[in-house]
């Protein structure tokens, strides 16, 4: 990549790399972060006249070390050009007020809102930031390929930029490495980069980080592992009604699926559908393929629970992804106890009892001697499907936390929502809505962070052409 210097007013910015695989608008975005001059106001002199956003670098004859001249007026809120990262504490007082409580936005580099919204949601996880911060340029595990290593480094650097800069950040390097690692995000149509699916970006980035961010050998602290933060262990009962075969399967996933149908009005109903499925496979007993039912339960919970609303499906008649617009409500507080295996329920009962007792004390409610899970278990025992042998023993359990480590309760609080607006996964617009440590919600619409009230967040449930939840991330309420 050629390196140039750019003169603007009395300032000279040396050694700016031009990624000639990206359109000139990306180079203009780099200059915006340095000068505060928006790309549409920049006039850059090159061979043949002014540099256009969609010009072909190959025809411009840019040489290494060349000096370019730029003209243009910076935004009014920019007090002076910045040569490096902008720290909040170094900003003028009026800008500090604007920036208190949330990090920077991300420039859209051409249909990259799917990537920006994914990054903003994951950026809210402090444990992930810490794990990335400890990942050095020489931390690459032996079984991790170079592009995965570079994408992890780019994630680390981008997270740092979001925290340290007052003005929006251009995720140029991150986008470049993401496209090298996963070429589907580099697809073009008529010379322009195409919109991509945010869930695919989320899944691929999560997979890469899970391979790179593993606890170092000999380390007793495994909290840095992505599996610990986001992984969900499922145990499934696979049954063939026709042959009577039955088996048990285990798998690890990074998100629960909320399936949407005419009967689904709430997230809980969609999760029930998502944990049940049918599959066709070979039956050794019948000697041919048969239909099997699969019912899954959660056997291990993460600190951050991700839920994906399955809103897109392939429409054969139009040969494209279509979107289910149905309204599906989701809660600010999610309790997944009913979706857990009996083994996990037993582990959760003690911490849940202590949590409820603490909440009762907080709100001045006198305990009646039974916790909510006991009541649920006693109620289920009176139904034909219920059993009464081992459900009501929470009061006799040892509920002290082992080694004083925080314990999961099965209760989660909403901290991020990734929404999609539009009729197709290959078009429309993605936005991140993220809860800050202060409790305030920020809507990250690319480079524009907008404060929002909490009651606005639950209105993103669908039913029209407004933004609707596509991915929700919940944080565990620990004891």
């Amino acid at each position: 990549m050629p390196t140039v210097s750019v003169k603007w007013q009395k300032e000279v910015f040396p050694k700016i790399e031009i990624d000639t695989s990206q359109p000139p608008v990306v180079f203009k975005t780099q200059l915006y972060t340095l000068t505060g001059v928006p790309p549409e106001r920049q006039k850059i002199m090159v061979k043949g006249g002014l540099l256009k956003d969609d010009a072909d670098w190959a025809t411009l004859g840019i040489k290494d070390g060349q000096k370019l001249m730029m003209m243009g007026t910076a935004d009014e809120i920019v007090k002076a050009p910045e040569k490096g990262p902008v720290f909040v504490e170094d900003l003028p007082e009026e800008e500090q007020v604007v920036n208190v409580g949330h990090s920077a936005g991300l420039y859209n580099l051409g249909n990259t809102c799917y990537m920006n919204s994914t990054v903003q949601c994951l950026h809210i996880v402090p444990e992930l930031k810490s794990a990335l911060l400890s990942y050095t340029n020489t931390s690459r595990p032996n079984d991790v390929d170079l592009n995965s290593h570079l994408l992890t480094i780019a994630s680390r650097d981008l997270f740092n930029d979001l925290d340290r800069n007052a003005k929006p950040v251009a995720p140029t390097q991150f986008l470049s490495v993401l496209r090298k690692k996963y070429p589907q995000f580099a697809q073009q149509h008529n010379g322009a980069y195409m919109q991509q699916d945010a869930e695919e970006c989320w899944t691929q980035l999560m997979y890469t980080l899970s391979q790179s961010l593993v606890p170092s050998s000999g380390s007793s602290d495994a909290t840095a592992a992505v599996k610990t933060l986001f992984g969900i262990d499922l145990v499934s009962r696979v049954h063939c009604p026709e042959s009577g075969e039955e088996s048990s399967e285990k798998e690890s996933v990074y998100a629960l699926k909320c399936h949407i149908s005419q009967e689904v009005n709430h997230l809980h109903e969609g999760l029930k559908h998502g944990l049940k499925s049918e599959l066709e496979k070979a039956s050794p007993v019948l000697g041919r393929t048969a239909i099997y039912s699969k019912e899954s339960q959660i056997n291990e919970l993460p600190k951050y629970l991700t839920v994906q609303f399955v809103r897109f499906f392939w429409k054969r008649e139009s040969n494209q992804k279509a979107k289910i617009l149905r309204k599906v409500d989701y809660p600010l507080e999610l309790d997944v106890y009913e979706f857990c295996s009996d083994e996990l329920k037993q582990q959760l009962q003690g911490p849940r009892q202590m949590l409820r007792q603490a909440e009762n004390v907080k709100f001045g409610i006198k305990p009646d001697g039974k916790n909510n899970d006991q009541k649920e278990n006693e109620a289920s025992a009176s139904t034909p499907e219920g059993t009464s042998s081992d459900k009501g023993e929470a009061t006799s359990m040892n509920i002290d936390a082992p080694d004083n480590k925080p314990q999961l309760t099965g209760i989660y609080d909403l901290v991020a929502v990734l929404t999609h607006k539009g009729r197709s996964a290959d078009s429309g617009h993605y936005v991140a809505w993220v809860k800050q440590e202060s409790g305030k919600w920020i809507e990250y619409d690319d480079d524009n962070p907008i404060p929002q009230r909490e009651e606005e967040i639950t209105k993103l449930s669908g039913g029209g052409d407004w933004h609707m939840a596509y991915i929700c991330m919940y944080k565990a309420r620990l004891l």
Side-chain angles (χ1 to χ4, degrees):
M1 294 186 290
T3 300
V4 301
S5 63
V6 177
K7 186 177 187 303
W8 173 68
Q9 296 182 359
K10 297 181 180 180
E11 297 283 334
V12 176
F13 301 92
K15 298 182 180 180
I16 302 177
E17 288 188 347
I18 298 179
D19 187 350
T20 54
S21 67
Q22 306 290 335
V25 68
V26 174
F27 175 62
K28 290 185 176 183
T29 302
Q30 291 176 260
L31 296 181
Y32 179 35
T33 64
L34 295 172
T35 66
V37 180
E40 63 269 19
R41 294 188 203 159
Q42 295 178 17
K43 295 182 179 179
I44 304 172
M45 303 302 297
V46 293
K47 178 182 177 181
L50 297 178
L51 179 63
K52 296 182 179 179
D53 290 351
D54 57 353
D56 184 357
W57 286 112
T59 63
L60 299 178
I62 300 294
K63 299 180 180 178
D64 194 53
Q66 185 173 340
K67 187 174 183 179
L68 302 178
M69 177 78 70
M70 186 186 84
M71 295 178 288
T73 305
D75 282 335
E76 292 182 359
I77 62 169
V78 179
K79 303 300 180 182
E82 299 290 343
K83 295 184 179 180
V86 182
F87 294 89
V88 173
E89 58 267 25
D90 296 331
L91 293 172
E93 185 176 352
E94 60 272 21
E95 288 193 43
Q96 288 188 34
V97 174
V98 174
N99 286 274
V100 164
H102 64 82
S103 55
L106 289 166
Y107 286 114
N108 191 316
L109 304 181
N111 281 335
T112 58
C113 59
Y114 70 92
M115 178 190 77
N116 289 349
S117 55
T118 295
V119 169
Q120 292 289 13
C121 287
L122 294 177
H123 175 251
I124 199 62
V125 180
E127 298 90 342
L128 183 58
K129 289 185 190 180
S130 298
L132 284 169
L133 188 62
S134 64
Y135 190 86
T136 68
N137 292 8
T138 58
S139 295
R140 175 183 170 188
N142 293 331
D143 57 347
V144 171
D145 64 274
L146 179 60
N147 283 333
S148 294
H149 173 62
L150 295 176
L151 182 55
T152 305
I153 292 175
S155 301
R156 178 199 67 193
D157 294 344
L158 181 55
F159 275 29
N160 283 336
D161 287 343
L162 287 174
D163 285 330
R164 297 186 307 193
N165 282 280
K167 293 183 294 186
V169 173
T172 310
Q173 183 63 23
F174 181 87
L175 177 61
S176 176
V177 179
L178 178 70
R179 285 173 172 166
K180 289 179 181 177
K181 172 61 182 174
Y182 300 108
Q184 67 263 38
F185 299 122
Q187 291 177 322
Q188 297 186 38
H189 180 68
N190 294 331
Y193 286 103
M194 297 171 59
Q195 178 69 284
Q196 299 293 334
D197 190 330
E199 187 273 331
E200 291 182 10
C201 181
W202 184 302
T203 300
Q204 300 287 34
L205 181 57
M206 187 66 65
Y207 174 76
T208 297
L209 297 181
S210 71
Q211 299 299 304
S212 302
L213 302 179
V214 294
S216 57
S217 57
S219 172
S220 60
D221 183 10
T223 58
V226 174
K227 171 68 168 61
T228 303
L229 293 176
F230 303 99
I232 308 163
D233 283 352
L234 299 177
V235 57
S236 304
R237 172 181 173 266
V238 181
H239 175 70
C240 178
E242 190 176 358
S243 66
E245 298 167 77
E246 187 169 311
S247 61
S248 179
E249 295 180 357
K250 292 183 178 180
E251 61 180 320
S252 294
V253 297
Y254 285 99
L256 294 179
K257 304 289 187 181
C258 174
H259 284 252
I260 302 174
S261 65
Q262 293 297 322
E263 295 79 31
V264 173
N265 298 301
H266 193 274
L267 175 59
H268 267 85
E269 297 166 338
L271 289 176
K272 285 182 180 178
H273 282 267
L275 291 171
K276 295 181 180 180
S277 61
E278 287 189 346
L279 60 152
E280 185 177 352
K281 66 175 186 175
S283 167
V285 174
L286 300 175
R288 55 175 172 80
T289 59
I291 301 298
Y292 289 74
S293 64
K294 182 178 179 180
E295 296 185 8
S296 302
Q297 293 180 318
I298 302 170
N299 208 40
E300 187 173 331
L301 286 166
K303 191 168 184 180
Y304 293 87
L305 182 68
T306 303
V307 175
Q308 182 218 341
F309 292 80
V310 185
R311 289 199 171 274
F312 297 108
F313 65 97
W314 190 258
K315 203 170 185 178
R316 292 182 178 179
E317 50 267 33
S318 58
N319 201 33
Q320 65 179 5
K321 282 185 180 178
K323 185 177 180 181
I324 302 173
L325 302 177
R326 182 177 180 81
K327 180 180 179 181
V328 179
D329 291 321
Y330 55 90
L332 294 173
E333 176 187 310
L334 177 65
D335 190 347
V336 296
Y337 181 83
E338 65 175 289
F339 306 123
C340 297
S341 65
D342 289 342
E343 178 184 352
L344 181 54
K345 283 180 179 179
Q346 288 295 322
Q347 297 174 24
L348 296 175
Q349 280 181 6
R352 287 167 68 86
Q353 179 182 351
M354 294 183 68
L355 178 65
R356 295 306 185 192
Q357 288 174 350
E359 291 177 345
N360 288 341
V361 171
K362 180 180 178 181
F363 293 106
I365 303 173
K366 294 183 179 180
D368 61 2
K370 295 181 180 180
N371 62 69
N372 289 350
D373 298 325
Q374 272 187 281
K375 295 174 183 178
E376 291 176 9
N377 291 331
E378 289 175 3
S380 64
S382 64
T383 63
E385 297 85 358
T387 60
S388 57
S389 60
D390 59 351
K391 295 282 187 169
E393 302 174 359
T395 55
S396 63
M397 294 172 57
N398 178 10
I399 54 179
D400 293 331
D403 302 323
N404 293 321
K405 291 183 179 180
Q407 290 184 293
L408 293 167
T409 62
I411 300 172
Y412 289 80
D413 296 299
L414 186 67
V415 292
V417 182
L418 190 155
T419 61
H420 178 265
K421 181 181 180 181
R423 297 270 171 167
S424 169
D426 300 324
S427 61
H429 187 51
Y430 291 98
V431 168
W433 313 68
V434 181
K435 189 176 184 178
Q436 311 301 302
E437 291 185 5
S438 64
K440 296 180 180 179
W441 283 88
I442 300 295
E443 173 192 355
Y444 287 98
D445 189 350
D446 286 327
D447 60 321
N448 187 24
I450 308 168
Q452 293 287 351
R453 295 176 299 176
E454 188 169 71
E455 52 264 35
E456 298 299 319
I457 305 304
T458 54
K459 295 179 181 178
L460 305 170
S461 52
D465 287 331
W466 179 237
H467 284 282
M468 62 187 69
Y470 186 30
I471 299 175
C472 284
M473 186 167 70
Y474 288 85
K475 181 179 181 179
R477 193 179 298 178
L478 301 174
L479 183 66

